Amino acid sequence: MQTLAAFSWLSMPLFEAEPKPSFERLTPFPVTLQNAATPQRHQIETMPGGVAIFDFDNDGKPDIFFTNGAAQPSLEKNAPKYWNRLYRNLGNFKFEDVTVKAGLQGEGYSMGATAGDFDNDGFIDLFVTGVGQNILYRNRGDGTFEKRPFPSTGWSISAGFFDYDGDGDLDLFIVNYVQWDPAKEPFCGDIQKNFRTYCHPKYYQGLANSLFRNDGGGEFTDVSKESGIAAYIGKGMGLAFADYDGDGALDVIVTNDTTPNFLFHNQRDGTFKEVGMAAGIGMNDDGRALSSMGVDFKDVDNDGRPDLFITALANETFPLYRNLGKGLFKDMTYPSKIGQATLPLSGWSTAAIDFDNDGWKDLFTANGDVNDNTETFSSRASKQLNLMLWNSAGKSFRPELLPVAGLYRGAAFADLDGDGAIDVVVTQLNGAPAILRNRSAAGHHWIGFHLPIGTSVKIRTAAGEQWGHSTAAVGYASSSDPVVHFGIGGETKILEAEIVYVDGRHKQLTAPAIDSYFKP
């Protein structure tokens, strides 16, 4: 067990504060993320709650949806109900609660959310995962949502929309965790000392993930078995999509809790082949399957190949896998200096985004221990600080701890005020969510592309090339604005941009305007 002395790095020069704060913390939401905790410490209690950022009313300002806990299934008949929440962005970091008007109060024990226009009507829809219940909400386009019946896939945590078959309709991938029965919850902790902890995943049987094909007209078909996805049992937490081998089809990474991660290679015939171990991302270089949580699948070294960054628990480090090409990845956790920076932390949601607009994607992690009583049995603190890892030209990362400790879980990312700097929204168990307003990008130029999910973009400046793709599936149980965002530092001109759509169409742009958003 880690000792308190091992945490002296928190005051070391490695973590010197920025001359000015990188982010300004705002708390405009009068709501608390409830997990309906019980003395029995049921496993589901530590897992909420995700956040989704999407422009539901098409006014150009990203809105924010929070999942919340509820009375636990089959446990509390008369317990209070905790609503999910939708906040409309009014501008200038002011928000209006429109949950009831929109019909998104929710029901059941919610975990995460993802957003995407599944019916191609121009309005972004919402999917909410939970314990024994998933809910699909169709955006009517008038500020309200229609609840659509959708099959339960067990205990579902993360989900994401993507077009795996290139037919123009967004399909849905659902990440499922473990088989959980409140009546069979094992005891974990110390009986003599009279304290309980949340149990290790080894005490639960895993689940297969689920893939639903969009058949058009708002209808989905479960193709988990015939696609090959259902053949693999894991303990899924996060997911992300990228074409990691450049064959024109989106692949899927699923992070697993204490079992090897899955990398599902899209074989472009409706099926997937699981290649995580062969690719080198199933375990770390020590041959250890980590408690993998959140994930992002982006190019952090500007070589044109999407890399993988994953969060995990304290004493495990957060691995960074560099994409070497030819289907192989290399563990760069310690050479990149990420290992030392993340060893004491337990990470949940994450993203690879160029927060300071210098031309290199940085890494953010939302942190907090699994247990809320860690101090009882160790020298660690339950509440932790969030972490920024600033990218130094793709070779190493400089860590910066952000103020205010908490039991952080979900995090989503968007330019909430339209200034070209990507902001962060984080949730914390039994606490209010917060906005981290990005103050780090002043003086640097940028460009953003609003494009269909799955579209890839390459830009070229005098300083070099950068790559990105449109995706909302980022982090843990959360969904971000799918804008393809690039910082270009002190460059004042983008020479050209190349857009490649999921169906293979290419579009060339000559000298697109900087410090603005491009829409087709």
Side-chain angles (χ1 to χ4, degrees), residues 56-398:
F56 84 93
D57 53 2
N58 285 354
D59 67 352
K61 296 187 288 290
D63 310 296
I64 304 175
F65 175 84
F66 296 104
T67 64
N68 213 337
Q72 292 196 28
S74 305
L75 290 179
E76 303 176 75
K77 295 182 179 179
N78 299 314
K81 294 182 178 179
Y82 306 115
W83 287 356
N84 299 326
R85 295 283 180 177
L86 176 65
Y87 286 93
R88 181 170 177 259
N89 189 340
L90 303 178
N92 197 30
F93 292 97
K94 295 182 179 179
F95 296 85
E96 175 190 7
D97 188 340
V98 294
T99 308
V100 176
K101 178 182 177 181
L104 291 177
Q105 298 95 315
E107 56 191 76
Y109 200 90
S110 297
M111 283 283 161
T114 192
D117 182 9
F118 74 83
D119 55 358
N120 290 327
D121 66 351
F123 292 93
I124 302 177
D125 311 296
L126 185 68
F127 183 79
V128 179
T129 62
V131 181
Q133 179 175 263
N134 297 317
I135 304 175
L136 179 65
Y137 292 102
R138 177 183 171 271
N139 189 338
R140 294 189 178 101
D142 60 358
T144 68
F145 289 77
E146 170 196 0
K147 178 182 175 182
R148 291 285 187 91
F150 205 90
S152 168
T153 52
W155 177 358
S156 304
I157 292 183
S158 296
F161 286 106
F162 75 128
D163 185 3
Y164 80 92
D165 52 6
D167 65 355
D169 297 317
L170 290 179
D171 310 296
L172 181 62
F173 196 105
I174 304 173
V175 174
N176 303 314
Y177 188 48
V178 298
Q179 300 178 33
W180 177 76
D181 182 346
K184 298 178 181 179
E185 193 79 82
F187 178 92
C188 296
D190 191 316
I191 296 178
Q192 292 182 345
K193 293 183 179 180
N194 194 30
F195 73 84
R196 295 187 68 145
T197 63
Y198 294 108
C199 290
H200 190 279
K202 67 183 180 182
Y203 293 104
Y204 305 87
Q205 295 296 315
L207 292 172
N209 299 298
S210 304
L211 176 63
F212 286 82
R213 185 187 64 220
N214 189 335
D215 296 325
E219 300 297 326
F220 289 84
T221 297
D222 187 345
V223 294
S224 306
K225 185 175 181 179
E226 49 264 54
S227 66
I229 297 298
Y232 299 92
I233 304 297
K235 298 177 181 180
M237 298 286 277
L239 87 160
F241 308 112
D243 178 9
Y244 78 93
D245 58 349
D247 66 356
L250 288 173
D251 310 296
V252 187
I253 170 74
V254 175
T255 55
N256 285 313
D257 192 357
T258 69
T259 63
N261 299 316
F262 294 148
L263 179 57
F264 291 107
H265 178 245
N266 190 336
Q267 301 192 101
R268 296 182 292 173
D269 60 0
T271 67
F272 290 80
K273 181 181 180 180
E274 203 288 299
V275 296
M277 293 296 288
I281 61 91
M283 299 181 179
N284 67 4
D285 262 7
D286 296 329
R288 183 181 180 187
L290 304 181
S291 305
S292 301
M293 307 283 218
V295 60
D296 203 358
F297 211 166
K298 302 275 180 57
D299 178 12
V300 300
D301 55 2
N302 291 346
D303 67 353
R305 297 186 292 265
D307 310 295
L308 274 169
F309 180 66
I310 298 172
T311 58
L313 293 189
N315 297 322
E316 293 183 338
T317 73
F318 302 172
L320 172 66
Y321 296 101
R322 184 186 178 206
N323 189 337
L324 301 177
K326 299 182 179 180
L328 297 175
F329 291 79
K330 181 179 181 180
D331 189 337
M332 298 294 293
T333 308
Y334 279 99
S336 66
K337 298 185 179 180
I338 291 175
Q340 178 186 0
T342 60
L343 187 63
L345 300 173
S346 292
W348 297 76
S349 202
T350 187
I353 290 170
D354 186 357
F355 289 99
D356 57 2
N357 286 346
D358 69 346
W360 297 92
K361 294 181 182 66
D362 312 295
L363 305 173
F364 172 90
T365 69
N367 306 314
D369 202 87
V370 171
N371 288 285
D372 59 1
N373 62 343
T374 312
E375 297 83 354
T376 305
F377 55 87
S378 80
S379 57
R380 296 198 310 271
S382 298
K383 294 183 177 181
Q384 299 180 3
L385 301 174
N386 294 323
L387 177 68
M388 276 298 312
L389 293 162
W390 297 103
N391 191 337
S392 300
K395 297 178 181 178
S396 64
F397 291 81
R398 177 182 61 83

Side-chain angles (χ1 to χ4, degrees), residues 22 51 239 260 318 352 360 395 465 477 481 505:
S22 300
V51 53
L239 87 160
F318 302 172
W360 297 92
K395 297 178 181 178
E465 297 178 329
D481 185 348
R505 289 180 296 121

